[in-house]
Amino acid sequence: MGRLTLILLTSTLLSSYFHPGRVVDAQSIFTIREVSLSMEPSNDVPRDTNVTVRCRAVVSSLGQEVLNRQYTILKDRVQVYTKTTTSSEDLLYPLPMARAFNSGKYTCQIAIEDKREVSKYQKLTVTGLSKPELHLNKAVVNEGEEVTVRCTAPGETGSIIFYFYEDSKEIKEEQVSSNYAETKIRFTSTGIHKCHCAYTVVVVPDAFRSEQSNIVTVSVKEIPYTPVLEILPIYKIYEGDTLDISCSLRRPQYNSQSTQLILSQGTQLLSSGTKDKLNHSLVALAKHSGEFECRLEIGNVVKVAKKNVSVTELFSLPTLTMSPVEVFPREPLTLICKSESLASERLHKEELTYTLEPSDAYLIPRGAGVFQGKALNADFNYTCTATAKGIMKQSKILTVRPKLPVSAPKITVLSKVILGRPFEILCNSSTGTLPINYTLLHDYMPMDMITVKQPYEEARFTVTITRTDDISKYICQANNGRKELSRRLDATVIVPLSHPTLTVVPTLGEIYEGDHLYLICGVQGTPPVTFKWYRVGNENPLYSTTSNSNNTDYQVKDLAKHHSGMYFCEAINPANTAVGSNPVTIEVRMALWKKALIGGICLLVLAVLALLFVLYYRSKRVRVDRAVTSVWSERPPEAANDEETSMMSNEPDVEYTEVVHTRAVDSAQGFSRIR
């Protein structure tokens, strides 16, 4: 009962919210699972095949909702077809009678609401092109007349380039977006001409070329007009002769068609007009040798008559030369103007005159074509003119550039001068006309020479000296026609260090605790010198200093026993080669006052021991004497009498003496044991 009530309530709410018959605008639940594209019957087909592009979309949705599907077909990323449908059937895009233009990469895109999917591309290739067809509006024409030519590519579409040929030579090219092209061809030569065409269909990035079209022949007839060129004299022509030139037209009777005659030589126009004949006269010069042309223009038709003329020179173009070839300012010079050849059959040598320009060049004529004077301080341009029988010829410009004398060169070194090692010497003059020869001299004897030809070049000499005074023996000579010497080379010579020594003060056998030790390091060579002192076993120096002297010292104050060891020193100077002394063994001896104190203590100990020995000896002697006295006191009377008797008779009682001594010894030993 409760479930039925809930259903009725829900139905009532929905019917009260939505208008009857209205589509629900709610978010559909679906997914596009796959989009694929295929070509039918295949991806490679010949032309005129009916091709179908099939787009298949697999879409899963909830319920029976109708989905709007928007299909788009793209060819080479360009949209070519679109369709919106609610059908789930495959989209078919037909390509009836496919052509090369239909070739390309196709993709299919489907969009449903806010979801889109694109298929992988499929490439369609349509092979084969139709044979082009050529048509001309005329088969027989006069020379210079235009013909309209039309080339057609039956059934083809797209971007097409048409090519037009005359006698197998391409003469025109037209690119169009239709299947035909028209152009005009003008035939300028008479006879039979063969024409054909071809085309190319452009499908980026590919292009497909057609076969050759049919051949169409055109007959070109000559028009009855002829230009005539005449030049007098006919035979050998010399400079100064008069040339009479005529350019005329030969035409049929009673023909009044408009014409144009043009007479020219090279790029120079001599005469032109609409009359049937042109006349022109000129004084022959060598420059007139060459081809003359009589040109006839009738509408678009051009006809030409040509003749070659050879003019013999009376005299050659003069040349202006200078002697000597190089000069310095205000030095004498000679300019010579001369024509190397002349036509002796027409001209005598005396008839040829020479003049120098400018006329105020401060040079005086000294004969035929010879001019003398002095060179100016700056550059100056000269030309000369040769004249005979009204013919004037001018030489090329000769520029006289007086040479600037070389200045005294400077001689310098380019690096440190180290005795026994190579270094470079530079020789350079601040002024002077190039080329300059630089020679390095040693004691005025040439050592080497370098020629400087360009401003950026330098004269560098590599030398080595073995003695310090050799440096001042070098000088430099500069020569560009004038010679100059430099001063002597002045440079500091660095002598590499040698003979390092380490001197010890005080001397090795007299070094005691508490003394001040001086380790003096000395070398031979050029200061400044950097000295370093080392103790064997330590990598770092004990002390380092730079001195302008060849020796210096390192002081160790208040020597102690731990200062004993091996010491050495190293030295280095601007030659950048370090040298080291031999190691010196330092032994720090005990201080003298300590030795005296130890000696005194030893003597005192000995004295005390001697005193103890004496005292001991004396005490032992007393004990012995007491023992003897005791023995004597215990002696019997008879013995005493005997002793007296013996003493009187001076004969000792040996037996008794021994007994006494034995007892005394025993008594002493007994006393010793008691102690």
Side-chain angles (χ1 to χ4, degrees):
M1 185 66 180
R3 182 179 298 175
L4 179 59
T5 303
L6 180 61
I7 293 172
L8 290 173
L9 178 61
T10 303
S11 176
T12 304
L13 289 174
L14 288 174
S15 61
S16 64
Y17 182 77
F18 295 108
H19 188 276
R22 184 178 178 182
V23 179
V24 178
D25 188 14
Q27 184 70 33
S28 303
I29 301 175
F30 67 92
T31 181
I32 303 174
R33 296 172 56 191
E34 181 184 4
V35 180
S36 62
L37 183 141
S38 61
M39 298 290 178
E40 297 175 359
S42 69
N43 290 62
D44 298 312
V45 297
R47 67 183 175 93
D48 294 332
T49 301
N50 292 324
V51 177
T52 300
V53 180
R54 181 182 293 273
C55 180
R56 173 173 296 171
V58 179
V59 180
S60 299
S61 63
L62 182 64
Q64 301 296 323
E65 292 185 64
V66 176
L67 301 175
N68 286 329
R69 308 179 184 209
Q70 183 180 10
Y71 290 92
T72 303
I73 304 296
L74 298 98
K75 172 179 173 284
D76 298 324
R77 299 183 180 180
V78 178
Q79 179 179 315
V80 294
Y81 180 72
T82 183
K83 182 179 180 180
T84 301
T85 180
T86 58
S87 173
S88 61
E89 297 293 327
D90 295 347
L91 175 71
L92 302 179
Y93 172 51
L95 296 174
M97 301 189 69
R99 296 287 180 166
F101 177 73
N102 298 125
S103 298
K105 294 179 180 178
Y106 288 81
T107 55
C108 176
Q109 175 182 286
I110 184 173
I112 304 175
E113 295 182 2
D114 60 345
K115 294 184 179 180
R116 294 176 182 271
E117 287 293 334
V118 181
S119 70
K120 294 181 179 179
Y121 77 82
Q122 291 289 331
K123 185 175 182 180
L124 174 64
T125 303
V126 181
T127 57
L129 295 174
S130 60
K131 183 175 180 178
E133 297 175 357
L134 182 67
H135 301 277
L136 278 69
N137 66 336
K138 294 180 182 179
V140 179
V141 295
N142 293 322
E143 59 177 327
E145 189 176 351
E146 283 186 337
V147 174
T148 301
V149 182
R150 179 187 179 102
C151 187
T152 305
E156 302 299 337
T157 58
S159 178
I160 303 178
I161 303 174
F162 287 92
Y163 309 94
F164 297 90
Y165 296 83
E166 179 186 344
D167 296 328
S168 299
K169 181 179 180 182
E170 184 181 328
I171 55 174
K172 281 197 175 183
E173 177 183 305
E174 298 284 343
Q175 183 168 3
V176 296
S177 57
S178 61
N179 69 339
Y180 71 92
E182 279 189 358
T183 188
K184 294 185 181 297
I185 299 176
R186 188 186 306 278
F187 296 95
T188 57
S189 59
T190 60
I192 301 299
H193 295 266
K194 294 181 178 181
C195 301
H196 72 272
C197 70
Y199 66 90
T200 296
V201 178
V202 179
V203 183
V204 179
D206 300 318
F208 302 90
R209 180 69 178 245
S210 75
E211 60 180 308
Q212 180 180 307
S213 73
N214 57 303
I215 296 176
V216 178
T217 60
V218 178
S219 177
V220 181
K221 299 186 297 182
E222 183 180 8
I223 60 174
Y225 290 81
T226 306
V228 179
L229 178 62
E230 293 180 342
I231 301 175
L232 296 175
I234 299 175
Y235 301 106
K236 194 161 188 178
I237 304 170
Y238 289 90
E239 285 184 312
D241 292 347
T242 300
L243 283 180
D244 294 318
I245 307 169
S246 69
C247 175
S248 60
L249 167 63
R250 187 179 298 142
R251 71 165 78 203
Q253 270 186 324
Y254 312 114
N255 192 321
S256 60
Q257 188 173 354
S258 176
T259 60
Q260 174 83 17
L261 286 175
I262 300 171
L263 177 63
S264 63
Q265 184 192 25
T267 58
Q268 184 179 6
L269 181 64
L270 302 178
S271 181
S272 67
T274 58
K275 297 180 180 180
D276 287 353
K277 188 173 184 179
L278 299 175
N279 293 313
H280 185 75
S281 295
L282 54 83
V283 177
L285 298 175
K287 66 179 182 179
H288 292 140
S289 292
E291 189 176 70
F292 286 81
E293 180 182 278
C294 177
R295 182 184 181 91
L296 170 63
E297 295 181 357
I298 310 169
N300 294 321
V301 178
V302 176
K303 291 192 172 186
V304 175
K306 298 179 180 180
K307 277 190 178 181
N308 278 314
V309 171
S310 177
V311 180
T312 303
E313 285 187 320
L314 275 180
F315 54 91
S316 61
L317 196 71
T319 56
L320 185 60
T321 57
M322 181 179 72
S323 179
V325 176
E326 295 179 342
V327 292
F328 289 93
R330 313 310 303 167
E331 282 190 346
L333 65 82
T334 300
L335 299 184
I336 301 172
C337 182
K338 185 179 180 181
S339 293
E340 295 297 333
S341 62
L342 55 85
S344 57
E345 66 273 19
R346 286 287 190 96
L347 182 67
H348 295 291
K349 186 177 181 180
E350 294 76 14
E351 297 180 81
L352 191 59
T353 60
Y354 301 96
T355 56
L356 187 67
E357 296 177 0
S359 57
D360 57 347
Y362 307 104
L363 297 179
I364 302 171
R366 296 297 185 186
V370 179
F371 306 89
Q372 292 182 341
K374 290 187 177 181
L376 303 179
N377 292 324
D379 294 359
F380 203 82
N381 294 330
Y382 297 90
T383 59
C384 75
T385 302
T387 307
K389 293 187 175 182
I391 306 298
M392 299 177 65
K393 296 184 180 182
Q394 193 173 55
S395 70
K396 294 181 179 179
I397 295 176
L398 172 66
T399 301
V400 176
R401 292 186 173 89
K403 294 183 65 174
L404 183 64
V406 70
S407 61
K410 291 183 179 179
I411 184 169
T412 56
V413 294
L414 296 176
S415 58
K416 291 188 290 188
V417 181
I418 300 175
L419 197 69
R421 298 184 193 174
F423 64 94
E424 283 190 321
I425 295 176
L426 174 65
C427 292
N428 180 56
S429 294
S430 58
T431 59
T433 302
L434 300 175
I436 300 174
N437 294 327
Y438 291 96
T439 304
L440 184 66
L441 308 175
H442 182 265
D443 265 350
Y444 294 97
M445 295 293 295
M447 302 294 294
D448 195 6
M449 186 187 78
I450 294 176
T451 300
V452 173
K453 299 178 181 179
Q454 300 295 333
Y456 56 82
E457 295 179 345
E458 292 181 331
R460 296 184 176 210
F461 302 91
T462 302
V463 299
T464 304
I465 60 174
T466 56
R467 296 188 303 176
T468 56
D469 57 350
D470 279 349
I471 195 72
S472 62
K473 295 181 181 179
Y474 285 99
I475 56 176
C476 186
Q477 175 185 276
N479 180 11
N480 70 341
R482 297 281 181 87
K483 294 182 180 180
E484 292 289 344
L485 287 176
S486 70
R487 296 181 178 181
R488 291 182 177 273
L489 180 59
D490 182 17
T492 301
V493 179
I494 301 173
V495 180
L497 300 180
S498 62
H499 302 91
T501 59
L502 183 63
T503 305
V504 181
V505 176
T507 57
L508 293 177
E510 300 176 358
I511 301 173
Y512 296 97
E513 291 178 318
D515 288 352
H516 292 346
L517 176 67
Y518 294 89
L519 299 176
I520 304 171
C521 191
V523 291
Q524 294 181 7
T526 302
V529 182
T530 298
F531 294 93
K532 294 180 181 180
W533 286 263
Y534 293 86
R535 183 174 182 175
V536 175
N538 293 338
E539 293 183 359
N540 297 323
L542 301 172
Y543 180 65
S544 176
T545 185
T546 300
S547 172
N548 287 320
S549 173
N550 286 77
N551 58 76
T552 190
D553 63 85
Y554 165 53
Q555 182 181 8
V556 182
K557 296 182 179 181
D558 300 326
L559 285 174
K561 197 69 177 176
H562 67 268
H563 288 124
S564 298
M566 297 180 69
Y567 293 80
F568 68 94
C569 70
E570 281 187 354
I572 187 170
N573 72 345
N576 294 327
T577 300
V579 294
S581 69
N582 292 325
V584 174
T585 302
I586 303 296
E587 182 182 356
V588 181
R589 300 175 181 270
M590 188 179 295
L592 293 177
W593 66 268
K594 288 185 179 181
K595 288 186 177 181
L597 179 61
I598 293 173
I601 292 173
C602 291
L603 291 176
L604 180 61
V605 170
L606 290 175
V608 170
L609 291 175
L611 179 61
L612 292 175
F613 178 76
V614 170
L615 293 175
Y616 172 74
Y617 180 76
R618 286 182 178 182
S619 65
K620 185 178 179 181
R621 184 68 179 269
V622 169
R623 288 194 299 271
V624 171
D625 290 344
R626 287 178 179 175
V628 171
T629 304
S630 174
V631 172
W632 280 100
S633 63
E634 295 177 2
R635 184 180 56 175
E638 295 84 354
N641 294 329
D642 291 341
E643 182 181 350
E644 291 178 359
T645 304
S646 175
M647 291 175 61
M648 293 179 61
S649 62
N650 295 326
E651 291 180 1
D653 189 347
V654 175
E655 183 180 354
Y656 180 77
T657 301
E658 290 177 353
V659 171
V660 170
H661 181 266
T662 302
R663 288 183 177 179
V665 170
D666 292 340
S667 298
Q669 290 176 349
F671 177 77
S672 176
R673 284 194 297 269
I674 292 172
R675 290 190 63 192

